Amino acid sequence: MSNTAVETYDAVIIGAGFGGLHLLRRLRDKGHKVLLLEAGQNVGGVWYWNCYPGARVDSMGHMYQFSDPELWQDWDFTELYPGREEVAAYFDYVDKKLDLSKDIRFGTKVTSARFDEEDRVWTISAEDGYAVRARFLLPCLGFAAKPFTPDIPGMSDFNGVVQHTALWPQGGLDMTGKRIAVIGTGASGLQVVQEASKVAEQVTVFQRTAMLALPMRQRKISKEESAQLKKDYAAAYALREKTFGGFDFDFIPKSVFEVSDEERRKTFDALWEKGGFYPWLANYYDTLMDEKANRLVYDYWRDRTRERINDPRLAEILAPTDPPHPIGVKRPSLEQTYFECFNLDNVSLVNLRETPIERITETGIKTTEAEYPFDIIVLATGFDAISGGMLSIDIVGSNGRTIQERWSEGLAAHLGMATSEFPNMFMVYGPQSPSAFCNGPSCAEFQGDWVARVVDDLIVKGKTRIEATPEADETWRSDTVQTSDMFYKANSWYIGANIPGKRREMMVYARGIPDFLQRINACVDEGYSGFVVN
Ligand code: NA7
């Protein structure tokens, strides 16, 4: 049914992170009428919400920004791996420089979207009653739009504060002198522990799976060094299209077994010193595909990590003799002082594999072994990642089925950006896109440029409907889920295994950026293969 009471746009974007902002800019530049809807009160996406102490990027700053010289020439990060406050300031800078906010409606949590087949237009509605129409619906939700809170008995009984990291109060939460529990040892947990240990009376870390974290090698970047580094930015950005992970470095094109023990050791040492993702994504190519090759990396990681932990009992829990899963098949967090924290008197560790949590009480946490009193319980328990955000919105496609129904037998998204029954909808950073295996801003630009190009082309040609075919969805699905067996050996959010009851399937396109770009560009060159356009 037509509804002319609400305004109609060429495109409505959901989400003001890297993906949404880039797309807004590109479509606006092409002269289209675009509106961006954002649930938060500012730009930044995950960086708006994840304002917990210590929140920090796991990519180097020069890679964690837009590649447009008009933007980077006047922007300097002051640390190699920027903290949340600097990233938030960067978003404000981009917003101001490009005057983006004028086309953003903040505080607008989209709850539903319906495709009207007669008009070939989406009607998008928000929690506050706001509604708008658009030819194209462009969800740019990021991988972490839906925080995950585990169902631990007694949570509501607790008299203190229970706080999920991704819903941290924008005004902060003072941990000084408090007794803090941290449940979860992913990136968020590690970062909170590093900060809380400096100010809290006591920090107790509840670990289920040891985090095989890599050393960040954080350092300050002076203005002079930044200016020097900028000489290489253009070359670094050009490289992103040619590497597996959308970074300016890549795997060594040799097997770990091809080299002598001495050469391997030298390489491992050099990668370790560089830190960050180098030991993961700049290692010998077979370390992420072959379990024996991977084990060599694990053993190296374990021994180097144990050097930093004084108590051998804790060392065995934090860096076990045998790997809990192959290293790197679950995203390795970057840490600065995490392992040394366990040498401090005010930090202790509870191994949930030996003593699981029974319940939360009025005063703290009760495990099968003991009861611990707390003032604040931090839930660093992650996200219903990749698909959780999309599935939280009531999106109804061309034949009346919801996106939940469409994907009930498994995710299927042509090019990781579109899905049959949902015409005129393109996702950036969505299910079956390279998302988590691609540096965020790189992926935002690759996918955003493609979507902007397609939307523009269709509008210019007077086409009003584009829909992926079920066959194209299936092909992409199978190319995504059929990945290295290694990825199925960890209970990671890449495969949905961190969420009870969630289908266990690879949700991230893991064939590398060059392959991805080749396929999405070929699709357009072939006249939109895998789509029906009219
Ligand atoms: P992650 O990496 O998904 O980490 C969540 C952590 O929470 C992880 O250690 C989980 O243990 C733990 N967890 C989840 N549920 C429970 C329950 N019920 N009991 C105990 N522990 C639990 O989320 P983050 O927010 O840290 O990071 C997400 C991404 O953001 C990260 O990869 C970076 O890309 C940035 P598990 O390992 O599943 O045993």
PDB file of all heavy atoms in Angstrom, residues 339-366:
ATOM      1  N   PHE A 339      48.851 -10.262  30.877  1.00  0.00           N
ATOM      2  CA  PHE A 339      49.401 -11.427  31.588  1.00  0.00           C
ATOM      3  C   PHE A 339      50.150 -11.007  32.860  1.00  0.00           C
ATOM      4  O   PHE A 339      50.101 -11.712  33.868  1.00  0.00           O
ATOM      5  CB  PHE A 339      50.255 -12.266  30.629  1.00  0.00           C
ATOM      6  CG  PHE A 339      49.415 -12.894  29.540  1.00  0.00           C
ATOM      7  CD1 PHE A 339      49.473 -12.427  28.231  1.00  0.00           C
ATOM      8  CD2 PHE A 339      48.510 -13.893  29.843  1.00  0.00           C
ATOM      9  CE1 PHE A 339      48.666 -12.973  27.247  1.00  0.00           C
ATOM     10  CE2 PHE A 339      47.689 -14.455  28.862  1.00  0.00           C
ATOM     11  CZ  PHE A 339      47.767 -13.990  27.555  1.00  0.00           C
ATOM     12  N   GLU A 340      50.769  -9.832  32.824  1.00  0.00           N
ATOM     13  CA  GLU A 340      51.440  -9.341  34.040  1.00  0.00           C
ATOM     14  C   GLU A 340      50.428  -8.985  35.134  1.00  0.00           C
ATOM     15  O   GLU A 340      50.758  -8.984  36.323  1.00  0.00           O
ATOM     16  CB  GLU A 340      52.304  -8.107  33.752  1.00  0.00           C
ATOM     17  CG  GLU A 340      53.635  -8.412  33.104  1.00  0.00           C
ATOM     18  CD  GLU A 340      53.541  -8.591  31.598  1.00  0.00           C
ATOM     19  OE1 GLU A 340      52.451  -8.386  31.045  1.00  0.00           O
ATOM     20  OE2 GLU A 340      54.567  -8.944  30.981  1.00  0.00           O
ATOM     21  N   CYS A 341      49.200  -8.677  34.723  1.00  0.00           N
ATOM     22  CA  CYS A 341      48.177  -8.339  35.723  1.00  0.00           C
ATOM     23  C   CYS A 341      48.044  -9.468  36.745  1.00  0.00           C
ATOM     24  O   CYS A 341      47.765  -9.224  37.924  1.00  0.00           O
ATOM     25  CB  CYS A 341      46.816  -8.109  35.061  1.00  0.00           C
ATOM     26  SG  CYS A 341      46.706  -6.537  34.215  1.00  0.00           S
ATOM     27  N   PHE A 342      48.267 -10.711  36.294  1.00  0.00           N
ATOM     28  CA  PHE A 342      48.076 -11.844  37.207  1.00  0.00           C
ATOM     29  C   PHE A 342      49.245 -12.008  38.178  1.00  0.00           C
ATOM     30  O   PHE A 342      49.221 -12.884  39.040  1.00  0.00           O
ATOM     31  CB  PHE A 342      47.792 -13.124  36.404  1.00  0.00           C
ATOM     32  CG  PHE A 342      46.483 -13.029  35.685  1.00  0.00           C
ATOM     33  CD1 PHE A 342      46.423 -12.569  34.375  1.00  0.00           C
ATOM     34  CD2 PHE A 342      45.296 -13.310  36.345  1.00  0.00           C
ATOM     35  CE1 PHE A 342      45.209 -12.427  33.726  1.00  0.00           C
ATOM     36  CE2 PHE A 342      44.076 -13.169  35.704  1.00  0.00           C
ATOM     37  CZ  PHE A 342      44.027 -12.728  34.384  1.00  0.00           C
ATOM     38  N   ASN A 343      50.252 -11.148  38.060  1.00  0.00           N
ATOM     39  CA  ASN A 343      51.328 -11.116  39.056  1.00  0.00           C
ATOM     40  C   ASN A 343      51.010 -10.109  40.162  1.00  0.00           C
ATOM     41  O   ASN A 343      51.759  -9.982  41.128  1.00  0.00           O
ATOM     42  CB  ASN A 343      52.659 -10.733  38.402  1.00  0.00           C
ATOM     43  CG  ASN A 343      53.048 -11.722  37.305  1.00  0.00           C
ATOM     44  OD1 ASN A 343      52.652 -12.890  37.362  1.00  0.00           O
ATOM     45  ND2 ASN A 343      53.811 -11.265  36.322  1.00  0.00           N
ATOM     46  N   LEU A 344      49.908  -9.363  39.986  1.00  0.00           N
ATOM     47  CA  LEU A 344      49.545  -8.334  40.972  1.00  0.00           C
ATOM     48  C   LEU A 344      48.740  -8.955  42.115  1.00  0.00           C
ATOM     49  O   LEU A 344      47.994  -9.918  41.915  1.00  0.00           O
ATOM     50  CB  LEU A 344      48.704  -7.235  40.312  1.00  0.00           C
ATOM     51  CG  LEU A 344      49.344  -6.481  39.141  1.00  0.00           C
ATOM     52  CD1 LEU A 344      48.307  -5.584  38.461  1.00  0.00           C
ATOM     53  CD2 LEU A 344      50.530  -5.651  39.643  1.00  0.00           C
ATOM     54  N   ASP A 345      48.872  -8.348  43.310  1.00  0.00           N
ATOM     55  CA  ASP A 345      48.150  -8.878  44.473  1.00  0.00           C
ATOM     56  C   ASP A 345      46.640  -8.711  44.352  1.00  0.00           C
ATOM     57  O   ASP A 345      45.875  -9.462  44.953  1.00  0.00           O
ATOM     58  CB  ASP A 345      48.612  -8.158  45.756  1.00  0.00           C
ATOM     59  CG  ASP A 345      50.042  -8.558  46.115  1.00  0.00           C
ATOM     60  OD1 ASP A 345      50.470  -9.633  45.647  1.00  0.00           O
ATOM     61  OD2 ASP A 345      50.717  -7.784  46.826  1.00  0.00           O
ATOM     62  N   ASN A 346      46.201  -7.691  43.595  1.00  0.00           N
ATOM     63  CA  ASN A 346      44.756  -7.425  43.562  1.00  0.00           C
ATOM     64  C   ASN A 346      44.050  -8.077  42.359  1.00  0.00           C
ATOM     65  O   ASN A 346      42.904  -7.750  42.068  1.00  0.00           O
ATOM     66  CB  ASN A 346      44.486  -5.908  43.583  1.00  0.00           C
ATOM     67  CG  ASN A 346      44.921  -5.219  42.302  1.00  0.00           C
ATOM     68  OD1 ASN A 346      45.823  -5.706  41.612  1.00  0.00           O
ATOM     69  ND2 ASN A 346      44.290  -4.097  41.979  1.00  0.00           N
ATOM     70  N   VAL A 347      44.741  -8.971  41.651  1.00  0.00           N
ATOM     71  CA  VAL A 347      44.090  -9.642  40.513  1.00  0.00           C
ATOM     72  C   VAL A 347      44.123 -11.150  40.727  1.00  0.00           C
ATOM     73  O   VAL A 347      45.170 -11.721  41.041  1.00  0.00           O
ATOM     74  CB  VAL A 347      44.794  -9.288  39.181  1.00  0.00           C
ATOM     75  CG1 VAL A 347      44.140 -10.039  38.015  1.00  0.00           C
ATOM     76  CG2 VAL A 347      44.737  -7.780  38.931  1.00  0.00           C
ATOM     77  N   SER A 348      42.972 -11.795  40.582  1.00  0.00           N
ATOM     78  CA  SER A 348      42.946 -13.254  40.710  1.00  0.00           C
ATOM     79  C   SER A 348      42.136 -13.861  39.566  1.00  0.00           C
ATOM     80  O   SER A 348      41.422 -13.159  38.845  1.00  0.00           O
ATOM     81  CB  SER A 348      42.377 -13.663  42.068  1.00  0.00           C
ATOM     82  OG  SER A 348      41.091 -13.112  42.211  1.00  0.00           O
ATOM     83  N   LEU A 349      42.291 -15.156  39.411  1.00  0.00           N
ATOM     84  CA  LEU A 349      41.714 -15.844  38.259  1.00  0.00           C
ATOM     85  C   LEU A 349      40.862 -17.012  38.730  1.00  0.00           C
ATOM     86  O   LEU A 349      41.287 -17.794  39.588  1.00  0.00           O
ATOM     87  CB  LEU A 349      42.867 -16.364  37.384  1.00  0.00           C
ATOM     88  CG  LEU A 349      42.518 -17.101  36.098  1.00  0.00           C
ATOM     89  CD1 LEU A 349      41.835 -16.172  35.095  1.00  0.00           C
ATOM     90  CD2 LEU A 349      43.795 -17.680  35.456  1.00  0.00           C
ATOM     91  N   VAL A 350      39.669 -17.134  38.161  1.00  0.00           N
ATOM     92  CA  VAL A 350      38.827 -18.309  38.437  1.00  0.00           C
ATOM     93  C   VAL A 350      38.698 -19.081  37.127  1.00  0.00           C
ATOM     94  O   VAL A 350      38.278 -18.513  36.108  1.00  0.00           O
ATOM     95  CB  VAL A 350      37.433 -17.891  38.956  1.00  0.00           C
ATOM     96  CG1 VAL A 350      36.536 -19.119  39.108  1.00  0.00           C
ATOM     97  CG2 VAL A 350      37.560 -17.138  40.273  1.00  0.00           C
ATOM     98  N   ASN A 351      39.058 -20.343  37.164  1.00  0.00           N
ATOM     99  CA  ASN A 351      38.977 -21.187  35.981  1.00  0.00           C
ATOM    100  C   ASN A 351      37.592 -21.841  35.926  1.00  0.00           C
ATOM    101  O   ASN A 351      37.304 -22.770  36.676  1.00  0.00           O
ATOM    102  CB  ASN A 351      40.080 -22.261  36.053  1.00  0.00           C
ATOM    103  CG  ASN A 351      40.070 -23.156  34.834  1.00  0.00           C
ATOM    104  OD1 ASN A 351      39.261 -22.979  33.930  1.00  0.00           O
ATOM    105  ND2 ASN A 351      40.982 -24.117  34.814  1.00  0.00           N
ATOM    106  N   LEU A 352      36.764 -21.327  35.016  1.00  0.00           N
ATOM    107  CA  LEU A 352      35.375 -21.820  34.973  1.00  0.00           C
ATOM    108  C   LEU A 352      35.273 -23.245  34.451  1.00  0.00           C
ATOM    109  O   LEU A 352      34.249 -23.895  34.629  1.00  0.00           O
ATOM    110  CB  LEU A 352      34.522 -20.884  34.125  1.00  0.00           C
ATOM    111  CG  LEU A 352      34.334 -19.467  34.689  1.00  0.00           C
ATOM    112  CD1 LEU A 352      33.506 -18.617  33.741  1.00  0.00           C
ATOM    113  CD2 LEU A 352      33.680 -19.504  36.062  1.00  0.00           C
ATOM    114  N   ARG A 353      36.333 -23.732  33.828  1.00  0.00           N
ATOM    115  CA  ARG A 353      36.313 -25.134  33.380  1.00  0.00           C
ATOM    116  C   ARG A 353      36.350 -26.072  34.595  1.00  0.00           C
ATOM    117  O   ARG A 353      35.784 -27.149  34.566  1.00  0.00           O
ATOM    118  CB  ARG A 353      37.528 -25.436  32.505  1.00  0.00           C
ATOM    119  CG  ARG A 353      37.585 -24.630  31.255  1.00  0.00           C
ATOM    120  CD  ARG A 353      36.728 -25.211  30.140  1.00  0.00           C
ATOM    121  NE  ARG A 353      36.733 -24.296  29.010  1.00  0.00           N
ATOM    122  CZ  ARG A 353      35.817 -24.259  28.066  1.00  0.00           C
ATOM    123  NH1 ARG A 353      34.787 -25.072  28.104  1.00  0.00           N
ATOM    124  NH2 ARG A 353      35.896 -23.400  27.080  1.00  0.00           N
ATOM    125  N   GLU A 354      37.032 -25.613  35.661  1.00  0.00           N
ATOM    126  CA  GLU A 354      37.111 -26.448  36.866  1.00  0.00           C
ATOM    127  C   GLU A 354      35.998 -26.119  37.854  1.00  0.00           C
ATOM    128  O   GLU A 354      35.445 -27.005  38.495  1.00  0.00           O
ATOM    129  CB  GLU A 354      38.464 -26.231  37.560  1.00  0.00           C
ATOM    130  CG  GLU A 354      39.587 -26.982  36.887  1.00  0.00           C
ATOM    131  CD  GLU A 354      40.944 -26.636  37.471  1.00  0.00           C
ATOM    132  OE1 GLU A 354      41.012 -25.924  38.495  1.00  0.00           O
ATOM    133  OE2 GLU A 354      41.944 -27.068  36.873  1.00  0.00           O
ATOM    134  N   THR A 355      35.700 -24.832  37.969  1.00  0.00           N
ATOM    135  CA  THR A 355      34.702 -24.412  38.957  1.00  0.00           C
ATOM    136  C   THR A 355      33.707 -23.449  38.293  1.00  0.00           C
ATOM    137  O   THR A 355      33.855 -22.227  38.371  1.00  0.00           O
ATOM    138  CB  THR A 355      35.376 -23.710  40.156  1.00  0.00           C
ATOM    139  OG1 THR A 355      36.132 -22.596  39.662  1.00  0.00           O
ATOM    140  CG2 THR A 355      36.288 -24.645  40.910  1.00  0.00           C
ATOM    141  N   PRO A 356      32.704 -23.991  37.617  1.00  0.00           N
ATOM    142  CA  PRO A 356      31.735 -23.140  36.909  1.00  0.00           C
ATOM    143  C   PRO A 356      30.913 -22.260  37.853  1.00  0.00           C
ATOM    144  O   PRO A 356      30.781 -22.575  39.042  1.00  0.00           O
ATOM    145  CB  PRO A 356      30.827 -24.145  36.202  1.00  0.00           C
ATOM    146  CG  PRO A 356      31.436 -25.484  36.364  1.00  0.00           C
ATOM    147  CD  PRO A 356      32.417 -25.414  37.494  1.00  0.00           C
ATOM    148  N   ILE A 357      30.361 -21.197  37.285  1.00  0.00           N
ATOM    149  CA  ILE A 357      29.458 -20.331  38.066  1.00  0.00           C
ATOM    150  C   ILE A 357      28.158 -21.083  38.290  1.00  0.00           C
ATOM    151  O   ILE A 357      27.575 -21.636  37.357  1.00  0.00           O
ATOM    152  CB  ILE A 357      29.171 -19.022  37.297  1.00  0.00           C
ATOM    153  CG1 ILE A 357      30.458 -18.201  37.149  1.00  0.00           C
ATOM    154  CG2 ILE A 357      28.067 -18.207  37.988  1.00  0.00           C
ATOM    155  CD1 ILE A 357      30.313 -16.955  36.289  1.00  0.00           C
ATOM    156  N   GLU A 358      27.707 -21.100  39.558  1.00  0.00           N
ATOM    157  CA  GLU A 358      26.399 -21.695  39.858  1.00  0.00           C
ATOM    158  C   GLU A 358      25.307 -20.642  39.747  1.00  0.00           C
ATOM    159  O   GLU A 358      24.280 -20.861  39.153  1.00  0.00           O
ATOM    160  CB  GLU A 358      26.389 -22.275  41.273  1.00  0.00           C
ATOM    161  CG  GLU A 358      26.938 -23.674  41.309  1.00  0.00           C
ATOM    162  CD  GLU A 358      26.796 -24.319  42.678  1.00  0.00           C
ATOM    163  OE1 GLU A 358      26.454 -23.624  43.662  1.00  0.00           O
ATOM    164  OE2 GLU A 358      27.060 -25.523  42.752  1.00  0.00           O
ATOM    165  N   ARG A 359      25.598 -19.471  40.346  1.00  0.00           N
ATOM    166  CA  ARG A 359      24.603 -18.408  40.289  1.00  0.00           C
ATOM    167  C   ARG A 359      25.202 -17.076  40.747  1.00  0.00           C
ATOM    168  O   ARG A 359      26.268 -17.032  41.351  1.00  0.00           O
ATOM    169  CB  ARG A 359      23.379 -18.737  41.141  1.00  0.00           C
ATOM    170  CG  ARG A 359      23.642 -18.890  42.655  1.00  0.00           C
ATOM    171  CD  ARG A 359      22.352 -19.157  43.420  1.00  0.00           C
ATOM    172  NE  ARG A 359      21.395 -18.063  43.269  1.00  0.00           N
ATOM    173  CZ  ARG A 359      20.255 -18.159  42.570  1.00  0.00           C
ATOM    174  NH1 ARG A 359      19.928 -19.269  41.957  1.00  0.00           N
ATOM    175  NH2 ARG A 359      19.435 -17.126  42.498  1.00  0.00           N
ATOM    176  N   ILE A 360      24.466 -16.025  40.441  1.00  0.00           N
ATOM    177  CA  ILE A 360      24.799 -14.715  40.991  1.00  0.00           C
ATOM    178  C   ILE A 360      23.909 -14.548  42.216  1.00  0.00           C
ATOM    179  O   ILE A 360      22.719 -14.895  42.186  1.00  0.00           O
ATOM    180  CB  ILE A 360      24.594 -13.616  39.936  1.00  0.00           C
ATOM    181  CG1 ILE A 360      25.632 -13.822  38.812  1.00  0.00           C
ATOM    182  CG2 ILE A 360      24.725 -12.230  40.551  1.00  0.00           C
ATOM    183  CD1 ILE A 360      25.546 -12.856  37.668  1.00  0.00           C
ATOM    184  N   THR A 361      24.513 -14.070  43.279  1.00  0.00           N
ATOM    185  CA  THR A 361      23.757 -13.898  44.523  1.00  0.00           C
ATOM    186  C   THR A 361      23.520 -12.402  44.759  1.00  0.00           C
ATOM    187  O   THR A 361      23.926 -11.572  43.939  1.00  0.00           O
ATOM    188  CB  THR A 361      24.543 -14.484  45.705  1.00  0.00           C
ATOM    189  OG1 THR A 361      25.734 -13.699  45.866  1.00  0.00           O
ATOM    190  CG2 THR A 361      24.923 -15.940  45.469  1.00  0.00           C
ATOM    191  N   GLU A 362      22.942 -12.059  45.896  1.00  0.00           N
ATOM    192  CA  GLU A 362      22.730 -10.641  46.219  1.00  0.00           C
ATOM    193  C   GLU A 362      24.050  -9.896  46.330  1.00  0.00           C
ATOM    194  O   GLU A 362      24.158  -8.709  46.046  1.00  0.00           O
ATOM    195  CB  GLU A 362      21.985 -10.515  47.554  1.00  0.00           C
ATOM    196  CG  GLU A 362      20.523 -10.820  47.435  1.00  0.00           C
ATOM    197  CD  GLU A 362      19.814 -10.678  48.769  1.00  0.00           C
ATOM    198  OE1 GLU A 362      20.391 -10.108  49.717  1.00  0.00           O
ATOM    199  OE2 GLU A 362      18.670 -11.133  48.854  1.00  0.00           O
ATOM    200  N   THR A 363      25.094 -10.634  46.747  1.00  0.00           N
ATOM    201  CA  THR A 363      26.365  -9.957  47.046  1.00  0.00           C
ATOM    202  C   THR A 363      27.507 -10.295  46.098  1.00  0.00           C
ATOM    203  O   THR A 363      28.563  -9.685  46.168  1.00  0.00           O
ATOM    204  CB  THR A 363      26.827 -10.329  48.471  1.00  0.00           C
ATOM    205  OG1 THR A 363      26.856 -11.759  48.558  1.00  0.00           O
ATOM    206  CG2 THR A 363      25.904  -9.774  49.530  1.00  0.00           C
ATOM    207  N   GLY A 364      27.321 -11.259  45.234  1.00  0.00           N
ATOM    208  CA  GLY A 364      28.454 -11.603  44.377  1.00  0.00           C
ATOM    209  C   GLY A 364      28.182 -12.790  43.477  1.00  0.00           C
ATOM    210  O   GLY A 364      27.062 -12.989  43.007  1.00  0.00           O
ATOM    211  N   ILE A 365      29.227 -13.595  43.284  1.00  0.00           N
ATOM    212  CA  ILE A 365      29.131 -14.745  42.376  1.00  0.00           C
ATOM    213  C   ILE A 365      29.482 -16.011  43.147  1.00  0.00           C
ATOM    214  O   ILE A 365      30.492 -16.066  43.864  1.00  0.00           O
ATOM    215  CB  ILE A 365      30.097 -14.572  41.175  1.00  0.00           C
ATOM    216  CG1 ILE A 365      29.657 -13.385  40.307  1.00  0.00           C
ATOM    217  CG2 ILE A 365      30.148 -15.852  40.332  1.00  0.00           C
ATOM    218  CD1 ILE A 365      30.545 -13.099  39.116  1.00  0.00           C
ATOM    219  N   LYS A 366      28.642 -17.034  42.969  1.00  0.00           N
ATOM    220  CA  LYS A 366      28.886 -18.309  43.637  1.00  0.00           C
ATOM    221  C   LYS A 366      29.269 -19.331  42.567  1.00  0.00           C
ATOM    222  O   LYS A 366      28.511 -19.582  41.632  1.00  0.00           O
ATOM    223  CB  LYS A 366      27.604 -18.742  44.368  1.00  0.00           C
ATOM    224  CG  LYS A 366      27.763 -19.975  45.226  1.00  0.00           C
ATOM    225  CD  LYS A 366      26.470 -20.200  46.034  1.00  0.00           C
ATOM    226  CE  LYS A 366      26.540 -21.405  46.931  1.00  0.00           C
ATOM    227  NZ  LYS A 366      27.101 -22.597  46.374  1.00  0.00           N
TER     228      LYS A 366
END
